[in-house]
Amino acid sequence: MAQHEEHTTHSQAFYLFIGFALLVLTATTVGAAFINLGAFNPVVALLIATIKATLVVLFFMHVKGASEKLTGAVVVSGFFFLAILLSLSLADYLTRSGPMWR
Amino acid sequence: MPNSQPNHGHVAVMEPEAHGPELVHQFSDVQQQKNAASLGMWLFLVTEIMFFGGMFCAYLIYRLEYFNAFAAGSQQLSIKMGAINTAVLIISSVTVVLAVKAAEAGKRKLLVGYLVVTVLLGLTFLVVKGFEYREKFEKHHVPGSTFSFTDKFDDNGKQYSVNSKEAELFFSLYFVMTGMHALHMIIGCGLFTVLAILAWKGHYTPAYFTPIENSGLYWHLVDIIWIYLFPLLYLISRHS
Amino acid sequence: MATTAVPANQAPKLNYLNNGHTIKSWLLTTDHKRIALLYLFSVTAFFFLGGFFAMLIRLELLTPEGDLMQADTYNKVFTMHGIVMVFFFLIPVVPAILGNFVVPLMVGAKDLAFPRINLLSWYLYVAAGILFLHCMLNGGVDTGWTFYTPYSTASNSNVVEAGLAIFIAGFSSIFTGLNFIVTIHRMRAPGLTWSRLPLFIWSTYATSLVMILGTPVIAITMVLVVAERLLHLGIFDPALGGDPILFQHLFWFYSHPAVYIMILPSMGVISEIVPCFARKRVFGYNFVALSSVAIAVFGFLVWAHHLFVAGISLYSAMVFSFLSFVVAIPSAVKIFNWTATLYKGSISYATPMLYAFGFIGLFTIGGLTGVMLATIGIDVHVTDTYFVIAHFHYVMVGGVLMGYLGGLHFWWPKITGRMYPEAWAKLSALFVFVGFNLTFFPQFILGYLGMPRRYWQYPPEFQVLNVLSTAGASVLAIGYLLPMIYMLWSLKYGAIAGDNPWHAAGLEWKTTSPPPTLNFDETPVVTWEAYNYDEIPDRPLEVPVAQ
């Protein structure tokens, strides 16, 4: 049982900065949607969303600097198994030879 | 020393009143209790990720298969309202973090203030959502017997007709996903309201503010879910 | 320490059983041991309900014609059998009963991390059960326990109630798993490192991972089915643009790992029983511990082997087939290691050990037939036949249930302070073993010969095997009824058990039988490895007998 104090609170200015960054990223994703990037539109959108989510997880949810590595492992495993659900299901649909059920 | 003797005789009977929320009987010290509560909340959040994940899986598969219809449906959503809501949620996450900071510093009034603002922002989100749903209802985009979709998919100026059933599927997923998200927001608002009242009564001290922290984690996850919902539902294809 | 009665001048020690006699002290308890008994009561009740449905199935299948009930009724009967047995018996049986009781004791804690959430778990289970009983009384469900769409969205039966009951039961499961993970991570006694943990804890931990990660997906799937029925949403209904295979993907993403929720705790029980009754450390402790985690992780990668003939692509079928072979490996590791533990051990045959032997043999058969089913070429022929039914009953009844019964007998003295009557228990185990094989082995043959599952009539040439199966089920039923009788009998008349009648390793044996409410008078400090049977005096086991 690790008994470390969690010194994870940043300064108010820092949190406001992260919040501002998230708002900027939101504006960016909206702007990027209006530009024709072809197949990369969804990629860019998801990339920006993931950056935003990462900022929230690391700084707002205090995962960065948490004394227990376990917290990070729990977060990663949650998203990892979601990725398994999505990717292995897609592996079926993307390798079908015909159209999906009509 | 290993306890190799069988236990005899006297037993400490549990007296729940002897322990406050600061240290309950099954934990040996406060830090253990805090760590346990935090881990418990994180595990619950993992279940929420998988819960919404099932809907994201359905969304992903149907979007690939019925792209035109999904894009057409998406183009009927209001980017303005979606973006406002995204901003509202992000700001509410900031207020939550600052509430935790206030709790840690023992600033009771500031804590209550931030919690109240968070709830108000949450309610703002729900009100905007309400306007959006009403707009859907007016345009006959609610799945079911009243559904009617005649809009086209605008792809860089070219207009494509889409299958009405496929568009209805988009809106089914839209309502289920945003509806489930809104339900979680309502629960979050309720939670923070209760915490605000308890905080006002002086329940939380720098030594004990675990419920504020853990409810904050819940709120941030609800924010993260919206961070993904927004581009996936509202921004499928906007270049025209 | 075999005494037969408490001397009249000695007041019974204060323990968790006599610490409060009111109904309120039981129904509002937060003591994990009492909650385990609350589960024991409710889960056993559901087991017999599921068994009742099984009896109806086997009675109908005595004759080739559908003469006992209508086809629609038969659909409801096998559906209810499946739902009750899967969601209300197999998923909670070992974790919620044995796990709840033993886990805090084994890690040297006073209780689980969140006792009130533990109680909430039980109430959620009961609420789900009541909702399901209401569904049953309203005519039940006829979709099969797998709720495949589009029939489940179209069926006249009470799919909504059943779906909601499963949703609620799922949260009972999630909260139990959450409690276990936090307890095992945060509340181990001083000195109890991960590598000193009993293997039952490792299995329970792995099980809990699956509960947390998998159960929410069945929850959302049931919500979507209910939404589709109530709001005509068309997510899975092809007539409305939906995809029934998507339902199967989402359903089995949970329901396959669910079978590992069922088997892993029982495997943990076997890992406790075998070293005790072989008086030897577990062979390859690290491998057995890590194999539990491997099963939990790999178990999430194989679900579409339930969809081989549903219309998935051949390429993904091959991937899932390969991964299904891989997931068999850690299970095999356990079988090999238990066998190696037995080798040159000092083996005795008390009832828990008999169930452990039964488990090892029957789970091997069930597991190997699982590998056969993972082979696409074989599966195409025997899917949806009695071969599949025989396979999963071998692993669930021959595996999970045998492990549970072994564990129940093993820990009975700790739970109740009494010994069960050994002779009756051995007789029961014999009935279970013989009855089980007579019931289910013929079903392998029936399936291979082509008898479909879920049919209420069959060609006459299958009758002999079906009659054998029903006869076996009758014997099996006796094997399950006898413990009800003798274990209840033992509560009043069984020999008083000492702290450690089996001379077993493990912290739970270092406190009284039954334990006090807070488990230990002093927090134990662990300085020894698990299964240190070479240090525990190797006395011949004297199983106390009542006089």
Side-chain angles (χ1 to χ4, degrees):
Chain A
M1 303 174 287
Q3 308 283 324
H4 306 293
E5 280 297 320
E6 299 214 355
H7 301 291
T8 53
T9 316
H10 298 278
S11 68
Q12 173 167 309
F14 182 76
Y15 289 130
L16 290 173
F17 171 70
I18 298 289
F20 180 72
L22 288 168
L23 291 172
V24 166
L25 285 167
T26 305
T28 312
T29 201
V30 172
F34 285 99
I35 304 170
N36 187 356
L37 300 166
F40 281 99
N41 272 106
V43 174
V44 166
L46 284 174
L47 197 60
I48 294 177
T50 304
I51 294 171
K52 288 163 78 177
T54 309
L55 287 176
V56 173
V57 166
L58 287 180
F59 299 114
F60 285 173
M61 299 172 92
H62 301 128
V63 171
K64 183 152 174 54
S67 50
E68 298 279 346
K69 291 264 174 46
L70 184 59
T71 316
V74 170
V75 178
V76 166
S77 66
F79 286 106
F80 174 74
F81 281 95
L82 176 58
I84 296 277
L85 170 63
L86 298 177
S87 56
L88 285 179
S89 298
L90 272 183
D92 169 29
Y93 285 95
L94 292 178
T95 53
R96 301 242 186 116
S97 49
M100 212 172 73
W101 185 280
R102 290 244 169 250
Chain B
M1 299 289 281
N3 187 3
S4 52
Q5 304 292 328
N7 290 319
H8 288 299
H10 73 281
V11 169
V13 176
M14 182 175 92
E15 286 161 359
E17 310 80 58
H19 303 286
E22 297 80 28
L23 180 60
V24 286
H25 72 281
Q26 66 268 21
F27 294 112
S28 48
D29 60 74
V30 176
Q31 192 60 38
Q32 186 192 32
Q33 175 172 321
K34 202 164 181 294
N35 287 342
S38 174
L39 178 59
M41 179 48 92
W42 273 109
L43 290 169
F44 179 72
L45 295 184
V46 166
T47 69
E48 293 280 32
I49 291 172
M50 297 306 292
F51 185 73
F52 278 91
M55 290 190 282
F56 279 103
C57 182
Y59 165 89
L60 186 62
I61 286 165
Y62 284 128
R63 170 178 165 155
L64 286 175
E65 187 64 26
Y66 299 146
F67 182 80
N68 284 7
F70 270 49
S74 170
Q75 287 172 346
Q76 293 302 313
L77 300 178
S78 161
I79 288 194
K80 198 171 84 172
M81 291 209 260
I84 289 174
N85 264 353
T86 310
V88 163
L89 262 190
I90 287 170
I91 296 169
S92 74
S93 268
V94 175
T95 56
V96 163
V97 152
L98 293 177
V100 173
K101 205 170 153 58
E104 199 176 16
K107 297 182 180 163
R108 185 177 64 103
K109 290 212 176 101
L110 199 57
L111 165 62
V112 176
Y114 278 127
L115 288 177
V116 168
V117 171
T118 305
V119 174
L120 289 175
L121 288 168
L123 291 175
T124 306
F125 180 98
L126 290 167
V127 166
V128 173
K129 201 105 224 69
F131 281 121
E132 280 188 278
Y133 280 7
R134 194 182 70 177
E135 191 201 356
K136 294 283 146 310
F137 184 71
E138 286 163 357
K139 285 163 124 185
H140 296 286
H141 287 165
V142 176
S145 46
T146 59
F147 185 82
S148 161
F149 191 83
T150 50
D151 302 281
K152 299 203 189 321
F153 166 39
D154 185 330
D155 183 16
N156 292 314
K158 289 180 72 171
Q159 306 280 333
Y160 293 96
S161 285
V162 296
N163 182 313
S164 169
K165 286 254 171 286
E166 295 172 14
E168 189 171 0
L169 195 48
F170 171 79
F171 284 102
S172 294
L173 282 169
Y174 168 81
F175 276 105
V176 165
M177 293 173 92
T178 59
M180 190 58 78
H181 178 264
L183 176 64
H184 282 77
M185 294 262 330
I186 293 170
I187 293 171
C189 288
L191 202 56
F192 278 127
T193 306
V194 168
L195 291 183
I197 294 171
L198 290 175
W200 181 254
K201 289 188 178 167
H203 242 83
Y204 303 115
T205 65
Y208 175 74
F209 56 97
T210 314
I212 312 275
E213 266 185 312
N214 288 338
S215 302
L217 291 178
Y218 172 83
W219 190 263
H220 292 308
L221 186 76
V222 175
D223 185 13
I224 288 174
I225 290 166
W226 183 260
I227 282 173
Y228 280 98
L229 280 181
F230 174 59
L232 289 174
L233 290 173
Y234 290 77
L235 303 179
I236 293 182
S237 177
R238 290 287 181 173
H239 41 84
S240 47
Chain C
M1 295 203 240
T3 56
T4 55
V6 178
N9 58 353
Q10 184 183 336
K13 296 198 291 279
L14 194 59
N15 58 57
Y16 81 99
L17 285 172
N18 54 30
N19 186 6
H21 290 284
T22 61
I23 294 199
K24 195 171 139 187
S25 74
W26 278 90
L27 291 183
L28 291 181
T29 183
T30 51
D31 179 359
H32 65 100
K33 300 181 289 298
R34 286 195 167 195
I35 293 175
L37 291 184
L38 291 175
Y39 268 111
L40 176 62
F41 177 72
S42 38
V43 169
T44 306
F46 272 102
F47 174 68
F48 282 104
L49 178 63
F52 168 72
F53 288 119
M55 181 190 78
L56 290 177
I57 293 174
R58 291 299 345 146
L59 280 176
E60 171 61 82
L61 293 178
L62 266 177
T63 59
E65 306 84 22
D67 43 14
L68 186 61
M69 58 188 88
Q70 312 273 4
D72 288 338
T73 312
Y74 186 76
N75 290 349
K76 291 182 179 179
V77 170
F78 68 68
T79 302
M80 307 303 267
H81 170 70
I83 295 176
V84 168
M85 286 308 201
V86 168
F87 293 107
F88 291 97
F89 177 69
L90 286 165
I91 298 266
V93 69
V94 178
I97 301 174
L98 298 176
N100 261 329
F101 195 94
V102 162
V103 164
L105 288 165
M106 270 188 177
V107 298
K110 293 195 183 79
D111 206 316
L112 287 176
F114 309 116
R116 286 176 301 183
I117 292 184
N118 198 13
L119 183 65
L120 175 65
S121 270
W122 182 72
Y123 275 106
L124 288 173
Y125 174 87
V126 169
I130 291 174
L131 182 57
F132 185 76
L133 287 174
H134 183 257
C135 160
M136 186 181 84
L137 293 170
N138 266 352
V141 202
D142 64 353
T143 58
W145 80 274
T146 47
F147 290 100
Y148 278 9
T149 59
Y151 185 59
S152 61
T153 46
S155 164
N156 291 342
S157 57
N158 298 312
V159 175
V160 169
E161 274 189 299
L164 288 176
I166 289 169
F167 177 86
I168 298 171
F171 275 94
S172 169
S173 189
I174 286 174
F175 287 135
T176 298
L178 193 152
N179 236 326
F180 285 154
I181 293 178
V182 178
T183 306
I184 295 169
H185 268 287
R186 300 284 189 225
M187 293 169 73
R188 284 166 285 129
L192 190 51
T193 58
W194 282 91
S195 56
R196 287 177 177 167
L197 281 172
L199 290 165
F200 182 72
I201 298 291
W202 276 98
S203 305
T204 303
Y205 180 74
T207 305
S208 305
L209 294 176
V210 181
M211 284 168 161
I212 292 285
L213 291 164
T215 316
V217 179
I218 189 88
I220 189 63
T221 310
M222 286 296 138
V223 167
L224 290 175
V225 168
V226 167
E228 185 152 325
R229 278 182 75 92
L230 294 178
L231 306 171
H232 301 288
L233 288 183
I235 297 176
F236 302 124
D237 188 348
L240 301 171
D243 179 20
I245 301 181
L246 175 64
F247 171 84
Q248 294 187 30
H249 272 297
L250 291 175
F251 177 85
W252 286 110
F253 181 83
Y254 164 73
S255 299
H256 188 83
V259 313
Y260 298 114
I261 294 178
M262 300 171 198
I263 196 68
L264 276 170
S266 277
M267 286 174 158
V269 171
I270 303 303
S271 291
E272 296 301 314
I273 293 176
V274 167
C276 177
F277 293 93
R279 311 308 299 172
K280 250 183 93 187
R281 291 177 187 268
V282 174
F283 181 88
Y285 171 94
N286 287 337
F287 274 90
V288 181
L290 292 175
S291 69
S292 292
V293 180
I295 291 172
V297 172
F298 280 108
F300 274 101
L301 306 180
V302 302
W303 77 86
H305 64 224
H306 298 271
L307 282 74
F308 280 156
V309 299
I312 61 174
S313 79
L314 182 60
Y315 303 104
S316 69
M318 282 162 54
V319 166
F320 279 104
S321 172
F322 171 73
L323 289 168
S324 304
F325 291 146
V326 171
V327 81
I329 296 174
S331 297
V333 162
K334 288 186 193 275
I335 299 280
F336 286 134
N337 285 24
W338 290 324
T339 311
T341 307
L342 291 168
Y343 179 65
K344 291 203 174 167
S346 174
I347 301 176
S348 57
Y349 297 92
T351 304
M353 191 59 153
L354 292 181
Y355 280 114
F357 273 114
F359 180 103
I360 293 174
L362 298 176
F363 176 76
T364 302
I365 295 174
L368 286 175
T369 51
V371 176
M372 289 166 70
L373 288 167
T375 313
I376 305 177
I378 297 181
D379 190 69
V380 167
H381 290 285
V382 296
T383 195
D384 279 338
T385 67
Y386 265 81
F387 191 90
V388 178
I389 294 188
H391 153 71
F392 66 67
H393 282 90
Y394 262 80
V395 285
M396 289 190 193
V397 183
V400 179
L401 188 42
M402 287 238 173
Y404 167 64
L405 288 172
L408 189 63
H409 286 78
F410 184 59
W411 281 301
W412 189 255
K414 181 57 56 183
I415 295 171
T416 61
R418 301 278 182 161
M419 291 303 291
Y420 58 85
E422 183 65 37
W424 281 103
K426 284 195 161 91
L427 181 67
S428 271
L430 185 65
F431 270 103
V432 167
F433 186 79
V434 168
F436 170 81
N437 281 297
L438 191 54
T439 309
F440 292 107
F441 197 82
Q443 294 185 9
F444 277 126
I445 304 172
L446 279 169
Y448 176 74
L449 291 175
M451 179 176 169
R453 65 186 289 195
R454 297 176 169 170
Y455 276 41
W456 103 124
Q457 62 187 28
Y458 53 81
E461 55 263 31
F462 292 151
Q463 183 170 21
V464 173
L465 289 167
N466 270 296
V467 169
L468 278 177
S469 183
T470 302
S474 320
V475 175
L476 190 55
I478 298 174
Y480 292 144
L481 286 168
L482 282 176
M484 284 288 292
I485 302 171
Y486 67 69
M487 281 177 135
L488 282 172
W489 175 93
S490 78
L491 291 178
K492 193 134 190 257
Y493 301 107
I496 306 279
D499 293 357
N500 194 355
W502 308 120
H503 305 294
L507 282 178
E508 74 271 29
W509 301 106
K510 293 200 183 304
T511 186
T512 54
S513 304
T517 298
L518 293 179
N519 294 344
F520 299 96
D521 279 346
E522 298 149 28
T523 308
V525 176
V526 177
T527 57
W528 54 91
E529 302 301 313
Y531 310 111
N532 52 342
Y533 283 102
D534 42 353
E535 292 166 7
I536 297 175
D538 191 17
R539 271 172 272 173
L541 294 175
E542 303 146 1
V543 180
V545 285
Q547 261 138 45

